[in-house]
């Protein structure tokens, strides 16, 4: 990579620490609830998952806990009394009862490997996943025991599978001790992944790239290239996405399956979204190489973590020399036909609403007839949008055309329209509209 990437290292580190790592309040809440659970179970429990590996991001929405089953240690929930053939459902009922005794209202639900505890009265989404486990006499290479955990199979029966949660925790610790960029790159990519997972512009097609899979990919990259910067690592993930989702590559440490075996079940559409996401991320990293002002670099990094999209990532060529002559404009209708603007600057105030549509200029009907689709892109800027993670930047086929946008965030925002031809995979017409909100509030 280039020296520009290297010089940006401190900027990226600060951004990950300040915007995408768990907050002090989140950590305090987790410790409080972990202590409560420890008292309820009165036995051997330990944290696992991303929080234990220090790769969790904010907003923090879950904690993974392993509860070691024991016949000897008496607990408020006695593991010896649990029906091992239906352990997860049995445990879910008993765990809810024990929380109720402490005055904390929860919902519990048996899952594939664990019992999920949802806190009814807490604002926001936060759950604890508690996995019962049998400790084995077999140790991993770090000297920690392996475990067997319950799993509900396709027939609904419980089987016990080998697992090595402490091995993954120790491995992540050692990788980060050798290369501190591990956790930072992981958090940045997890923020990117979360943004894409929450997108609505792909209909019912889900973004399926898994968080833990990303961690293992990053560890693998660091082993091969220990001198890589944070952005080098992220870039390597984006440019190798074809191989990453092409076949499974990461055997589970306990040896009973692959961590990334879900890859074999991905549909063509699900793989397409992952590729679009990675290409869009790579485009933003190219832009970062050209940013010499810290503020510009920070803004672009936030766009990366917010999942901004680019028409090129959808496979369309957008050659600037083809779009120098205005062919159409974006018409903005403000407040139910009160005001109409052609492409340019639209001034809005608190409470205003606006709709957008592409309008062809005279004498360009030949080009219009060649356009098979119109894509829209709405991008927000400014601190107001950033605070609630609403920079947007998604590309959609029709929702911007059919949806009324509301003036919500102060700042300068942009609505773009791309007229494309699917046969030649090219953008034939382009227009942009600038929305300025000066009062309290941009397009939501």
């Amino acid at each position: 990579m280039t020296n520009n990437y290297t010089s940006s290292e401190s900027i990226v580190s600060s951004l990950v620490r300040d915007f995408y790592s768990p907050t002090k309040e989140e950590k305090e809440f987790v410790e409080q609830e972990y202590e409560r659970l420890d008292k309820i179970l009165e036995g051997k429990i330990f944290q696992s998952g991303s929080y234990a590996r220090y790769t969790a991001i904010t907003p923090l929405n879950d904690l993974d806990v392993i509860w070691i089953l024991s016949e000897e240690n008496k607990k408020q929930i006695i593991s010896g009394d649990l029906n091992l053939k239906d352990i997860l459902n049995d445990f879910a009922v008993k765990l809810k009862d024990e929380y109720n005794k402490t005055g904390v209202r929860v919902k519990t639900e048996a899952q594939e490997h664990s019992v999920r505890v949802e806190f009814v009265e807490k604002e926001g989404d936060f759950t604890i996943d508690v996995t019962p486990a049998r400790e084995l006499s077999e140790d991993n290479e770090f000297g920690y025991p392996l475990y067997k955990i319950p799993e509900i199979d396709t027939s609904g029966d419980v089987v016990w599978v080998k697992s090595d949660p402490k091995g993954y925790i120790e491995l992540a610790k050692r990788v980060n001790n050798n290369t501190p960029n591990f956790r930072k790159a992981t958090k940045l990519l997890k923020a990117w992944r979360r943004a894409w997972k929450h997108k609505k512009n792909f209909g019912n097609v889900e973004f399926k790239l898994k968080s833990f899979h990303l961690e293992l990919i990053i560890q693998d990259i660091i082993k091969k290239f220990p001198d890589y910067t944070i952005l080098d690592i992220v870039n390597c993930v984006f440019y190798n996405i074809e191989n990453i989702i092409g076949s499974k590559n990461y055997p589970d440490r306990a040896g009973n399956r692959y961590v990334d075996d879900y890859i074999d079940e991905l549909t063509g559409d699900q793989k397409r979204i992952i590729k679009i996401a990675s290409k869009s991320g790579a485009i933003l990293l190219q832009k970062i190489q050209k940013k010499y002002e810290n503020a510009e670099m920070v803004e672009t990094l936030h766009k990366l973590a917010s999942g901004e999209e680019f028409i090129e990532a959808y496979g369309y060529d957008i050659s600037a020399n083809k779009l120098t002559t205005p062919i159409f404009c974006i018409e903005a209708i403000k407040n139910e036909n009160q005001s109409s603007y052609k492409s340019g600057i639209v001034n809005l105030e608190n409470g205003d609403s606006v709709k957008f549509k592409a309008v062809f200029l005279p004498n360009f009907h030949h080009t219009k007839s060649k356009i098979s689709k119109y894509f829209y892109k709405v991008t927000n800027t400014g601190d107001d949008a950033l605070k609630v993670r609403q920079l947007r930047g998604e590309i959609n086929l029709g929702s911007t055309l059919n949806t009324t946008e509301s003036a919500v965030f102060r700042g300068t925002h942009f609505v773009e329209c791309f007229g494309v031809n699917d046969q030649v995979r090219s953008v034939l017409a382009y227009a942009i509209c600038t929305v300025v909100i000066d009062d309290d509030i941009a397009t939501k």
Side-chain angles (χ1 to χ4, degrees):
M1 294 294 171
T2 68
N3 289 333
N4 289 340
Y5 270 32
T6 304
S7 65
S8 69
E9 197 75 348
S10 62
I11 297 174
V12 183
S13 295
S14 297
L15 178 132
V16 171
R17 180 194 64 217
D18 296 340
F19 289 92
Y20 301 109
S21 297
T23 65
K24 177 182 177 182
E25 292 75 19
E26 287 174 329
K27 292 177 183 178
E28 289 174 349
F29 178 79
V30 166
E31 293 309 312
Q32 167 192 305
E33 293 306 325
Y34 180 72
E35 290 178 10
R36 189 194 310 276
L37 182 62
D38 189 44
K39 290 178 181 178
I40 288 174
L41 295 176
E42 288 189 347
K44 296 179 181 178
I45 69 171
F46 63 89
Q47 297 177 11
S48 63
S50 61
Y51 191 78
R53 297 190 300 271
Y54 296 95
T55 58
I57 61 173
T58 188
L60 188 62
N61 53 26
D62 64 2
L63 173 68
D64 294 304
V65 173
I66 303 292
W67 174 39
I68 305 173
L69 298 175
S70 171
E71 298 294 343
E72 293 79 21
N73 295 335
K74 293 295 183 181
K75 308 174 181 64
Q76 290 177 7
I77 298 177
I78 302 174
S79 61
D81 290 342
L82 290 174
N83 177 2
L84 295 184
K85 292 184 179 179
D86 194 25
I87 186 170
L88 295 173
N89 287 307
D90 198 10
F91 185 33
V93 173
K94 291 185 165 104
L95 193 54
K96 182 178 180 180
D97 289 342
E98 294 302 329
Y99 266 101
N100 286 339
K101 292 176 184 178
T102 70
V104 177
R105 293 180 59 224
V106 301
K107 295 179 181 178
T108 58
E109 179 186 4
Q111 301 186 114
E112 185 180 11
H113 297 283
S114 63
V115 170
R116 171 159 292 186
V117 180
E118 179 184 348
F119 294 84
V120 175
E121 296 174 349
K122 185 184 185 304
E123 291 186 12
D125 296 327
F126 183 82
T127 59
I128 298 180
D129 289 342
V130 188
T131 303
R134 293 169 166 174
E135 186 173 296
L136 304 179
S137 57
E138 181 182 355
D139 289 347
N140 61 26
E141 72 270 32
F142 306 121
Y144 295 112
L146 300 181
Y147 299 88
K148 276 196 171 181
I149 62 174
E151 177 179 278
I152 301 176
D153 64 16
T154 54
S155 65
D157 295 329
V158 171
V159 296
W160 291 79
V161 296
K162 194 180 291 187
S163 180
D164 187 17
K166 287 189 175 180
Y168 282 115
I169 294 170
E170 182 64 24
L171 184 61
K173 175 183 174 182
R174 295 189 180 204
V175 170
N176 199 71
N177 286 343
N178 292 332
T179 309
N181 290 340
F182 163 64
R183 287 175 183 157
K184 298 167 187 174
T186 299
K187 289 179 180 181
L188 185 57
L189 274 170
K190 282 189 175 184
W192 165 82
R193 171 191 171 273
R194 179 178 284 179
W196 279 88
K197 194 167 181 63
H198 290 170
K199 286 179 180 290
K200 306 296 184 185
N201 54 317
F202 289 96
N204 295 321
V205 182
E206 187 179 354
F207 187 82
K208 298 281 283 188
L209 188 63
K210 291 191 175 181
S211 176
F212 186 45
H213 185 194
L214 272 176
E215 282 195 41
L216 298 184
I217 293 165
I218 294 167
Q219 288 182 16
D220 199 25
I221 292 170
I222 288 173
K223 288 177 187 176
K224 295 175 182 175
F225 308 103
D227 295 330
Y228 265 17
T229 67
I230 299 169
L231 294 183
D232 286 339
I233 296 167
V234 174
N235 204 47
C236 192
V237 172
F238 291 154
Y239 274 97
N240 285 283
I241 203 65
E242 292 275 0
N243 293 330
I244 288 169
I245 62 175
S247 61
K248 55 191 179 187
N249 295 292
Y250 295 95
D252 182 79
R253 283 183 53 82
N256 55 329
R257 63 188 67 194
Y258 279 77
V259 172
D260 55 345
D261 57 6
Y262 72 97
I263 291 296
D264 292 341
E265 300 175 4
L266 293 180
T267 67
D269 285 340
Q270 288 167 344
K271 287 188 176 184
R272 176 174 174 266
I273 294 175
I274 295 172
K275 291 175 184 178
I276 290 172
S278 299
K279 289 179 181 178
S280 293
I283 290 169
L284 280 165
L285 290 182
Q286 290 174 356
K287 292 177 180 291
I288 289 172
Q289 288 182 289
K290 302 174 183 178
K291 303 295 184 185
Y292 299 104
E293 297 294 331
N294 288 2
E296 287 183 300
M297 187 175 294
V298 168
E299 181 182 10
T300 307
L301 285 166
H302 281 307
K303 289 180 178 181
L304 173 66
S306 299
E308 181 168 358
E309 303 173 29
F310 295 89
I311 196 69
E312 301 97 310
Y314 283 73
Y316 295 103
D317 175 46
I318 182 168
S319 302
N321 60 342
K322 295 181 181 178
L323 306 172
T324 53
T325 302
I327 296 175
F328 70 90
C329 63
I330 297 177
E331 183 178 70
I333 308 297
K334 175 181 172 182
N335 294 335
E336 298 295 331
N337 297 320
Q338 289 183 15
S339 302
S340 178
Y341 299 80
K342 297 297 189 290
S343 296
I345 297 177
V346 178
N347 291 294
L348 300 180
E349 296 178 354
N350 185 352
D352 284 341
S353 62
V354 64
K355 293 190 75 170
F356 302 94
K357 67 176 181 178
V359 178
F360 259 80
L361 301 177
N363 303 321
F364 287 102
H365 295 292
H366 179 65
T367 301
K368 180 180 180 181
S369 66
K370 294 181 179 180
I371 294 177
S372 54
K373 293 178 183 175
Y374 293 91
F375 288 97
Y376 287 84
K377 177 178 176 179
V378 179
T379 308
N380 292 335
T381 67
D383 291 339
D384 290 351
L386 176 59
K387 286 176 184 176
V388 292
R389 291 175 170 79
Q390 281 293 321
L391 295 179
R392 293 179 63 174
E394 78 277 9
I395 288 177
N396 62 78
L397 195 55
S399 60
T400 296
L401 177 64
N402 300 313
T403 302
T404 299
E405 300 276 356
S406 302
V408 178
F409 308 116
R410 279 193 304 261
T412 302
H413 314 277
F414 306 97
V415 178
E416 299 171 82
C417 184
F418 307 88
V420 306
N421 182 293
D422 274 333
Q423 186 173 359
V424 297
R425 306 299 295 175
S426 180
V427 178
L428 302 184
Y430 170 80
I432 185 169
C433 181
T434 303
V435 180
V436 180
I437 297 175
D438 293 322
D439 190 6
D440 279 319
I441 307 199
T443 51
K444 180 178 179 183

